[in-house]
Amino acid sequence: MSLLHQARFFTTVNHLRDLPPTAVPEVAFAGRSNAGKSSALNILCNQKRLAFSSKTPGRTQHINYFEIAHLEHLYGYLVDLPGYGYAEVGGGVKVHWQQLLGDYLVQRPQLRGLVLVMDSRRPFTELDCELIDWFMPTGRPIHVLLTKADKLTRQEATLVLRDTQKRLSALPRTDGLPSDDPATPPQFTAQLFSSLKRTGVDAAQRVLEEWLAIPARDTAKK
């Protein structure tokens, strides 16, 4: 069992000044509204309503923290960022929301990596690409979840994953590691994912566990 299954709601934040003054690692989840971010968080933590998906996309405008702890040891937080790109959100709210999201991603020193949730049927929207460009200078890794993969045929899914990996591999490294060394792991990675069919859940969990320095899974059984 993954320790991610023990995730619990910690706090919600509407301003950068209210971010918790902690030193443990954080992994952020970001994505376009209605891309399946809340469903992905829930299935990765094996819980039905850890992250709430609003009936009206774009309604969630706060940063929500979920703690990962075991035997009184806090490993870190999964951080659910506001969904972006929903047209019906008011202008003033949208500006605040985008600033909150962007400032958190660029300024938060505890952040270990970004899980970017993209609908596999519509990847790399203009806003997705803007977010990648915004985040890249931090030097931190990005892991793309191509959600709703169950809605694609096997051939379509293969092509989408291949194209996504090709686009990510073309991005310049910003983490200072040598790009010409075969032993250097990629900074930007991607996988197919389906909350409905549980496709890719184990692979995504292992990325999160690595970023949060969670111990081997057999430890969670004790």
Side-chain angles (χ1 to χ4, degrees):
M1 182 182 75
S2 172
L3 287 181
L4 296 170
H5 292 183
Q6 300 185 34
R8 297 181 299 178
F9 174 77
F10 176 65
T11 190
T12 187
V13 174
N14 194 33
H15 298 281
L16 283 181
R17 63 176 179 268
D18 299 324
L19 289 172
T22 57
V24 294
E26 298 174 7
V27 173
F29 280 70
R32 187 176 175 85
S33 297
N34 224 17
K37 178 163 58 67
S38 295
S39 297
L41 270 164
N42 287 335
I43 201 72
L44 287 169
C45 297
N46 198 36
Q47 299 184 40
K48 292 183 178 180
R49 293 181 64 79
L50 180 69
F52 289 89
S53 178
S54 173
K55 293 181 181 179
T56 304
R59 286 285 298 278
T60 304
Q61 298 152 15
H62 302 83
I63 293 176
N64 292 308
Y65 270 71
F66 305 102
E67 67 176 23
I68 310 297
H70 181 62
L71 298 178
E72 299 184 357
H73 179 81
L74 177 62
Y75 288 99
Y77 296 100
L78 302 182
V79 183
D80 186 11
L81 300 176
Y84 53 83
Y86 195 67
E88 293 185 15
V89 175
V93 171
K94 185 180 294 186
V95 170
H96 166 72
W97 171 14
Q98 292 174 340
Q99 185 174 2
L100 179 66
L101 184 151
D103 287 350
Y104 169 82
L105 288 175
V106 173
Q107 299 179 19
R108 188 67 168 168
Q110 296 92 325
L111 187 58
R112 293 295 184 268
L114 172 67
V115 177
L116 179 55
V117 179
M118 296 194 295
D119 188 327
S120 60
R121 300 166 298 175
R122 294 178 289 276
F124 293 103
T125 66
E126 183 178 351
L127 289 171
D128 292 329
C129 294
E130 286 181 8
L131 185 66
I132 291 172
D133 290 340
W134 208 349
F135 186 72
M136 278 179 56
T138 68
R140 300 182 181 105
I142 297 174
H143 186 65
V144 173
L145 293 187
L146 293 165
T147 58
K148 307 183 183 183
D150 55 283
K151 298 183 182 297
L152 302 177
T153 65
R154 181 173 297 181
Q155 182 179 16
E156 289 171 338
T158 299
L159 290 174
V160 165
L161 179 60
R162 185 182 302 162
D163 179 66
T164 299
Q165 291 172 330
K166 182 178 179 180
R167 294 184 65 160
L168 293 176
S169 66
L171 297 174
R173 291 196 80 106
T174 58
D175 57 4
L177 296 178
S179 56
D180 56 351
D181 185 348
T184 303
Q187 183 181 354
F188 312 112
T189 53
Q191 66 164 102
L192 295 168
F193 193 86
S194 168
S195 298
L196 183 65
K197 301 291 187 180
R198 299 185 65 89
T199 303
V201 170
D202 190 69
Q205 285 177 333
R206 292 195 181 279
V207 171
L208 299 178
E209 290 164 354
E210 179 182 349
W211 287 356
L212 293 176
I214 292 175
R217 294 190 180 203
D218 56 1
T219 305
K221 298 177 183 179
K222 297 180 181 179

